[in-house]
Amino acid sequence: MATHDKVKVAVVGASGYSGIEAVRILASHPFVELSVLTSEHYAGREVADVYRHMAGIDLPPFEELRPDLVPGRAEVAITCLPETVGTAHTAELIKAGVKVVDLSADFRFKDAAQFRATYGIEHPAPQLLKEAVYGLSEFHRHELREARLVANPGCFPTGALLALLPLIRRDLIEPSSIIIDAKSGTTGARRAASIEQLFAEVNENFRAYKVGNHRHVPEMEQEISAALGRDIALLFVPHLLPITRGLLSSIFMRPRAGTTESDVHAAFEASFAKSRFVRILKPGELPELRNVRATNFCELAFILDRRSETLLVITAIDNLGKGASGQAVQNMNLMLGYDEAAGLLGAAPVP
């Protein structure tokens, strides 16, 4: 799309954490008009009545999602509904000619059997799995420019894959040695009532959860296996931080014999030379969540520890930014032929 006339965009499921973050970012996007916002809980209400930090911004009210709501009123939809909830609706949007960036895991797997194994149901639209482009922006720019359906990556996979894919592609590590230790803020879960998410449960606490059965593991394994050309199993340990937003990943692995610091640095430099949103830190600097909060940036640093023969890569992202809605907007920009940073270097106030 060569013109910079404003494109009409719908945010489906706009009142959840990732949905309202998408609205916040898109509200100041120079080439976007937000035309439809849906919410099952707040249909009929103004956005600023629910989220007061959005006051003063001209936005459409929340509406109840109907099959005929978006086609004709939007050219692009960013869908932020939970897994399996909006799959059939997304398929109808694609059929109607609406481009879709989907933030659920509904279209991340290429194999319907893997979807069934992970979520316990048959995929409602398996014909779209092969077509959907996995939206890790830095590694799929060419495919994204031709896509009509983008499967936005999960937050944990984004933080891990940005660290691992450059090294795997240059055969610098032993893939079987990979251990991913990641910590995320509470907005990594849905905006819904849950005992585990109560303030008294999270505050002054820090815990691992879903070790060995987290739904993001097969997603990471799929992408790493594709890069390797063979199947791989990963050890992934997610933790819940007593903070609102942010995701710090520490990835441990054994380097191949002869791998040097220069090799590792060159791999990252080559992979992210054209990337606006990956910051490779200077030696001695380490990623911090406060430096990426409410942004689409990823901070990345590595340490090659010769004493233990371990390569450690640390990444920091905002789980709602680069881990969700920020990356969704980056992918939308690529789909539409815009500068991929459009609307992402300055946005509405953050609550």
Side-chain angles (χ1 to χ4, degrees), residues 16 64 86 110 125 212 273 296 326 344:
E64 185 177 353
K110 295 301 181 184
N296 194 51
L344 287 166

Side-chain angles (χ1 to χ4, degrees), residues 164 167-168 171-179 224 228 230-235 252-254 256:
L164 289 167
L167 305 174
I168 288 169
D171 196 28
L172 297 179
I173 62 169
E174 299 282 352
S176 61
S177 69
I178 296 170
I179 298 173
I224 293 174
L228 279 172
R230 59 181 174 84
D231 290 341
I232 189 172
L234 297 172
L235 177 58
F252 304 86
M253 64 212 89
R254 192 166 299 282
R256 296 277 194 202

Side-chain angles (χ1 to χ4, degrees), residues 72-254:
R73 293 177 59 190
E75 301 157 72
V76 180
I78 293 180
T79 60
C80 306
L81 298 173
E83 279 70 31
T84 74
V85 172
T87 319
H89 180 74
T90 296
E92 289 302 313
L93 289 177
I94 294 295
K95 186 177 179 181
V98 178
K99 293 178 182 287
V100 175
V101 181
D102 183 63
L103 272 71
S104 77
D106 287 350
F107 298 97
R108 294 176 191 161
F109 296 128
K110 295 301 181 184
D111 185 355
Q114 182 62 70
F115 181 89
R116 181 174 62 249
T118 304
Y119 293 100
I121 65 168
E122 295 293 334
H123 198 285
Q127 74 280 4
L128 290 175
L129 292 178
K130 297 295 184 183
E131 176 184 344
V133 174
Y134 188 72
L136 191 64
S137 310
E138 282 69 23
F139 291 94
H140 297 286
R141 283 190 181 89
H142 178 72
E143 302 97 310
L144 287 164
R145 291 189 177 100
E146 305 298 324
R148 61 174 185 164
L149 172 59
V150 173
N152 217 60
C155 54
F156 283 123
T158 296
L161 293 172
L162 289 173
L164 289 167
L165 290 181
L167 305 174
I168 288 169
R169 289 183 170 193
R170 292 205 171 191
D171 196 28
L172 297 179
I173 62 169
E174 299 282 352
S176 61
S177 69
I178 296 170
I179 298 173
I180 303 167
D181 179 306
K183 295 98 172 169
S184 176
T186 59
T187 51
R190 290 181 56 197
R191 187 174 185 256
S194 168
I195 290 176
E196 292 80 9
Q197 296 293 106
L198 291 174
F199 178 80
E201 304 295 325
V202 175
N203 186 47
E204 298 183 23
N205 192 18
F206 180 52
R207 65 175 183 266
Y209 67 100
K210 293 185 179 178
V211 178
N213 65 347
H214 195 282
R215 62 188 177 87
H216 283 167
V217 171
E219 180 184 339
M220 289 186 277
E221 290 178 343
Q222 171 185 268
E223 296 306 304
I224 293 174
S225 295
L228 279 172
R230 59 181 174 84
D231 290 341
I232 189 172
L234 297 172
L235 177 58
F236 172 58
V237 186
H239 301 76
L240 184 65
L241 287 169
I243 62 173
T244 301
R245 54 197 295 168
L247 194 163
L248 189 79
S249 300
S250 301
I251 301 107
F252 304 86
M253 64 212 89
R254 192 166 299 282

